[in-house]
């Protein structure tokens, strides 16, 4: 294993180890603070972060507004308060050592307002902003305003080139690094484009070389690339270290920090990680963002797959093979199916899937009355956690605050699911089956890596020390 040298990032020399910022309450001030204290870059998730009452207890994010717009304002306020609380915790733990970054998803609801609100109230504590899930052109502008470094997350040289030419060249001195996130292996939302086959992973090496080539054209020879997605043991990436084709490199770990003593996820989630097998992480497109995402293939995802399979195309008028009449809803409004599809529908109804739900693609999916009622309730309770949501048809852009499409029952309320699993009660195994459990595709290695033998869960410091050995 090659010697791992410090890398200059965000104006300081640190270990080339970066904690990945994971969604709703899966990386927080405690985990980030300890990661920075160990000498790397700790990352606080700025996505609906937890805030605390005077007794130090987590404040449940309950929405009381009557309209989506009202609830969206509550969401933004929760996000700012939680982000500030987590940054302060991380700073108190790290004592100014290492680097502290805040991660936001550009497509999350109120992203720009939330990150501005957090940085306004934590001046001098945050070293950098990490941002992906979209094309965050305004990231550099925000970084300039607060004089912090910024770290865009991209999955191709082409994406970074577009960001640079449009905006980032105006704040070149604050670009702390470029995160290359492998779109096939990363956990959570992935950056697969329409031209890439989700079933045909590509090696990251030529993609990193292409990214560095573009960066050199822009004078970014010494700006580090941060390799993310699929990184488990650095001995497996030895050819990337001190490689002149790639240049300065650091490595981001998203999955392994989940299983540390300081990780905020519930113990039941940690236990589940230790039991995963190869293939248990599923690349899917059910997210209401419209992006691909990787998550544990549990009962929740299986239910979404089954729902999509109980699907038939319909026509409002008899045309072609669509001649079989079918009544939808309480009023039994007529639509037309193919005779074969009508047979499928009768079979599903016999199994209890009697509720036909319209999708934006002129299809019907079939669910039980109980599940259909839950879908409707979740859509009504939308709080605008995304800039646009295909599940509820919310858009944060006025005047209509509507994305112009029919709400899609094949998706789900991601805010509800992520909050439920992150804050599951001790011993609540059902929450691990009935909610979205993001994970990288290497998560099965917890069960095979001898470091975790007999259920061993390390501290962040023990994990960082282990990573520095290459294992």
């Amino acid at each position: 294993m090659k010697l791992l040298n410090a890398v200059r990032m965000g104006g300081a020399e640190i270990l080339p180890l970066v904690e990945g910022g994971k969604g709703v309450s899966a990386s927080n001030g405690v985990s980030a603070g300890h990661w920075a204290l160990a000498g790397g870059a700790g990352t606080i998730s700025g996505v609906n972060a937890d805030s605390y009452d005077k007794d130090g207890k987590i404040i449940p994010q309950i929405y009381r507004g009557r309209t989506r717009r009202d609830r969206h304002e509550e969401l933004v306020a929760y996000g700012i308060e939680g982000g500030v609380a987590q940054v302060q915790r991380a700073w108190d733990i790290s004592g100014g050592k290492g680097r502290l970054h805040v991660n936001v998803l550009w497509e999350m609801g109120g992203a720009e307002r939330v990150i501005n609100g957090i940085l306004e109230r934590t001046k001098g504590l945050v070293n950098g902003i990490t941002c992906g899930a979209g094309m965050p052109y305004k990231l550099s502008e925000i970084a300039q305003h607060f004089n912090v470094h910024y770290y865009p997350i991209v999955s191709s040289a082409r994406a970074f080139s577009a960001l640079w030419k449009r905006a980032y060249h105006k704040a070149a001195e604050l670009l702390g690094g470029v995160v290359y996130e492998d779109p096939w292996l990363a956990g959570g939302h992935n950056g697969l484009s329409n031209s890439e086959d989700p079933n045909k992973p590509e090696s990251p090496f030529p993609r990193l070389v292409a990214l560095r080539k573009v960066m050199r054209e822009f004078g970014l020879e010494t700006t580090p690339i941060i390799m993310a997605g699929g990184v488990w043991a650095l001995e497996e990436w030895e050819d990337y270290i001190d490689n002149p084709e790639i240049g300065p490199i650091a490595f981001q770990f998203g999955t392994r920090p989940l299983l540390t003593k300081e990780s905020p996820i519930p113990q039941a989630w940690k236990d589940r990680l230790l039991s995963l097998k190869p293939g248990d992480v599923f690349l899917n497109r059910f997210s209401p963002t419209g992006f691909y995402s990787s998550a544990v293939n549990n009962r929740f995802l299986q239910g979404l797959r089954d729902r999509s399979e109980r699907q038939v195309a319909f026509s409002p008028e008899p045309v072609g093979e669509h001649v079989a009449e079918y009544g939808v809803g309480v009023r039994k409004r007529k639509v037309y199916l193919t005779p074969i599809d009508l047979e499928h529908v009768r079979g599903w109804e016999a199994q209890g899937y009697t509720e036909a739900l319209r999708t934006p693609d002129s299809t019907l999916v079939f669910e039980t009355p109980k599940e259909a009622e839950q879908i409707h309730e979740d859509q009504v309770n939308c709080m605008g956690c995304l800039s646009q949501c295909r599940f509820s048809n919310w858009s944060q852009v006025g005047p209509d605050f509507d994305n112009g499409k029919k709400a899609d029952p094949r998706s789900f309320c991601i805010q509800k699911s992520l909050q439920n699993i992150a804050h599951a009660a001790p011993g609540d195994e059902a929450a691990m089956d009935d909610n979205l459990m993001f994970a990288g595709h290497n998560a099965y290695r917890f069960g095979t890596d001898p470091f975790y033998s007999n259920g061993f869960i390390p501290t962040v410091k023990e994990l960082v020390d282990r990573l520095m050995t290459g294992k």
Side-chain angles (χ1 to χ4, degrees), residues 233-369:
L234 292 184
E235 63 184 3
E236 299 162 0
W237 299 85
E238 195 166 8
D239 292 344
Y240 292 63
I241 300 169
D242 295 330
N243 188 310
E245 290 189 273
I246 294 175
I249 189 169
F251 295 90
Q252 179 169 300
F253 295 83
T255 297
R256 288 189 75 170
L258 285 170
L259 201 58
T260 60
K261 286 188 169 67
E262 293 87 354
S263 168
I265 66 173
Q267 184 62 44
W269 190 341
K270 295 179 182 181
D271 294 339
R272 184 64 58 91
L273 289 172
L274 286 166
S275 68
L276 295 179
K277 302 292 188 293
D280 278 354
V281 175
F282 175 54
L283 181 63
N284 67 89
R285 210 168 188 177
F286 291 120
S287 171
T289 62
F291 297 133
Y292 281 95
S293 70
S294 294
V296 174
N297 188 19
N298 57 8
R299 188 163 58 205
F300 175 79
L301 278 185
Q302 185 60 52
L304 289 170
R305 265 208 307 279
D306 292 345
R307 183 185 303 164
S308 285
E309 289 173 3
R310 294 189 299 271
Q311 183 170 194
V312 295
F314 73 87
S315 171
E317 303 290 340
V319 59
E321 295 183 1
H322 288 76
V323 294
E325 188 177 299
Y326 182 73
V328 177
V330 177
R331 298 183 181 181
K332 299 298 178 185
R333 293 184 174 176
K334 293 180 183 179
V335 298
Y336 295 87
L337 315 178
T338 67
I340 291 177
D341 281 345
L342 183 58
E343 287 184 27
H344 293 318
V345 168
R346 295 308 182 202
W348 297 329
E349 288 177 333
Q351 298 172 47
Y353 301 104
T354 57
E355 297 300 307
L357 307 174
R358 295 175 187 255
T359 79
D361 300 321
S362 295
T363 64
L364 301 173
V365 293
F366 288 79
E367 263 299 351
T368 64

Side-chain angles (χ1 to χ4, degrees), residues 21 23 25 53 73-74 96 124 131 143 252 263 308 341 375 428 438 460:
S25 301
D53 63 19
E73 292 303 311
E74 294 177 80
C131 189
Q252 179 169 300
S263 168
S308 285
D341 281 345
I375 290 169
D428 187 358
F438 279 144
V460 166

Side-chain angles (χ1 to χ4, degrees), residues 9 59 73 89 91 98 137 142 181 187 286 313 329 413 430 440 445:
M9 185 185 301
I59 298 173
E73 292 303 311
R89 283 196 164 196
W91 176 261
Y137 292 110
I142 296 170
E181 186 175 73
F286 291 120
C413 178
R445 295 180 66 172

Side-chain angles (χ1 to χ4, degrees), residues 36 58 76 101 104 160 232 259 295 352 388 429 437:
I58 293 173
V76 170
H101 298 170
V104 292
F160 177 71
W232 184 268
L259 201 58
Q388 291 194 65
E429 290 289 340
M437 184 189 288

Side-chain angles (χ1 to χ4, degrees), residues 318-440:
V319 59
E321 295 183 1
H322 288 76
V323 294
E325 188 177 299
Y326 182 73
V328 177
V330 177
R331 298 183 181 181
K332 299 298 178 185
R333 293 184 174 176
K334 293 180 183 179
V335 298
Y336 295 87
L337 315 178
T338 67
I340 291 177
D341 281 345
L342 183 58
E343 287 184 27
H344 293 318
V345 168
R346 295 308 182 202
W348 297 329
E349 288 177 333
Q351 298 172 47
Y353 301 104
T354 57
E355 297 300 307
L357 307 174
R358 295 175 187 255
T359 79
D361 300 321
S362 295
T363 64
L364 301 173
V365 293
F366 288 79
E367 263 299 351
T368 64
K370 180 180 179 181
E371 191 62 30
E373 183 179 355
Q374 186 64 63
I375 290 169
H376 177 69
E377 181 181 325
D378 289 345
Q379 289 171 334
V380 169
N381 290 338
C382 173
M383 74 295 289
C385 72
L386 300 172
S387 62
Q388 291 194 65
C389 177
R390 65 173 182 158
F391 176 68
S392 69
N393 82 359
W394 157 267
S395 169
Q396 67 183 22
V397 180
D400 297 329
F401 299 94
D402 186 312
N403 65 16
K405 299 178 181 178
K406 186 175 182 64
D408 195 336
R410 296 168 296 187
S411 189
F412 60 97
C413 178
I414 194 167
Q415 171 74 193
K416 171 188 170 183
S417 189
L418 292 177
Q419 288 283 358
N420 283 349
I421 194 168
H423 300 102
D428 187 358
E429 290 289 340
M432 304 303 113
D433 287 313
D434 296 329
N435 292 288
L436 182 67
M437 184 189 288
F438 279 144

